[in-house]
Amino acid sequence: MKSALPKNDSELRKAFETIPTIKQLSDPVLAISQLISTCELSRESIQNVLNKYQIEKITDLKLELLDLLITYAIVILDDHIVSEKERFNIEILKKYFRIKEGDFFTYRYSEVENILHRQFEIIYSDNDVSREEAIHKVALQELFDLSYDQFEIFKQKEISQALDRGADISNLDTTTFPQSKNKPTYDDIKQFNTNKKDNPK
């Protein structure tokens, strides 16, 4: 069966050649990683790996495959950019691995939090979110299949710190908060955003 991943993707190949050197993988997951690095990943080749290691179904490896994808995310985010090609690749891998929306949040919350924290530190460091950084945030949310509310939870700390540094909320790529004599807390902002979402004009 033909792989849905692009052939001759040198960046993808390099990433999955690097991953085993920075993350210890079990034998079946290492075999799957090697299929990716050699552009041989397909439903059939995955099934061959499962048969070899007497694993009933791919979801039996869910937690390890989440770790594999998290490690891939760390590699591709080294330059703080998620390219269209990288977004496509990780979406394809999630489909192959039967990773569902909410799996990252439920099973690997701390790992995702650490990755996003490093990205948010850069995004909010100058108290201003550019258009490119706003687009990057959308890519990060999609990368880990996070809902609006889940992503807001991860953003909370960095937005709060930016406000403490004197940032203007209108520069932080969040819903504009009503003018107030008192600086709004993040809980205020979250409630306001929730109200806006539930009652759009």
Side-chain angles (χ1 to χ4, degrees):
M1 185 181 293
K2 183 179 179 181
S3 174
L5 289 169
K7 287 190 174 295
N8 303 318
D9 187 335
S10 59
E11 293 179 358
L12 180 67
R13 183 176 67 251
K14 183 178 179 181
F16 278 87
E17 287 173 350
T18 301
I19 285 172
T21 69
I22 58 179
K23 174 71 177 178
Q24 186 172 359
L25 306 173
S26 67
D27 288 344
V29 175
L30 177 60
I32 291 172
S33 178
Q34 290 172 339
L35 289 174
I36 299 169
S37 67
T38 56
C39 300
E40 297 174 354
L41 187 74
S42 66
R43 298 290 183 201
E44 184 178 15
S45 62
I46 289 176
Q47 189 59 52
N48 290 338
V49 171
L50 298 180
N51 293 342
K52 178 179 178 180
Y53 292 98
Q54 300 181 330
I55 298 169
E56 185 176 349
K57 53 189 182 298
I58 191 69
T59 50
D60 292 339
L61 295 171
K62 180 188 290 286
L63 297 183
E64 290 182 82
L65 292 172
L66 282 170
D67 289 336
L68 180 66
L69 291 177
I70 284 172
T71 308
Y72 177 48
I74 291 171
V75 172
I76 65 177
L77 286 169
D78 185 57
D79 58 1
H80 309 292
I81 296 171
V82 183
S83 70
E84 284 300 317
K85 184 165 59 175
E86 290 165 343
R87 291 170 73 174
F88 173 81
N89 288 343
I90 204 161
E91 288 303 318
I92 292 295
L93 292 174
K94 284 187 287 190
K95 288 179 181 178
Y96 272 124
F97 300 161
R98 306 287 176 86
I99 303 300
K100 299 183 295 184
E101 184 174 342
D103 282 346
F104 283 103
F105 189 84
T106 301
Y107 300 110
R108 289 297 182 263
Y109 182 97
S110 295
E111 291 82 352
V112 172
E113 182 179 41
N114 289 336
I115 293 171
L116 293 181
H117 173 66
R118 288 193 292 272
Q119 298 299 308
F120 291 156
E121 274 189 321
I122 296 171
I123 291 172
Y124 293 107
S125 62
D126 60 355
N127 296 345
D128 183 69
V129 177
S130 67
R131 181 177 181 277
E132 291 74 16
E133 289 171 331
I135 293 171
H136 181 52
K137 286 200 301 174
V138 173
L140 292 172
Q141 182 176 354
E142 293 176 351
L143 200 65
F144 299 110
D145 295 323
L146 299 172
S147 69
Y148 173 89
D149 290 331
Q150 290 168 347
F151 197 58
E152 288 296 302
I153 290 171
F154 288 121
K155 285 163 54 180
Q156 174 177 333
K157 182 177 179 181
E158 298 306 324
I159 291 179
S160 179
Q161 289 180 348
L163 292 173
D164 288 341
R165 292 193 301 268
D168 185 333
I169 189 64
S170 64
N171 295 328
L172 298 181
D173 186 45
T174 187
T175 304
T176 302
F177 200 82
Q179 293 298 321
S180 171
K181 292 181 180 179
N182 300 317
K183 183 174 66 176
T185 65
Y186 185 77
D187 286 338
D188 293 331
I189 299 165
K190 184 177 180 183
Q191 184 60 51
F192 179 71
N193 287 341
T194 299
N195 292 342
K196 290 286 284 186
K197 184 177 65 169
D198 292 341
N199 302 290
K201 292 184 178 179

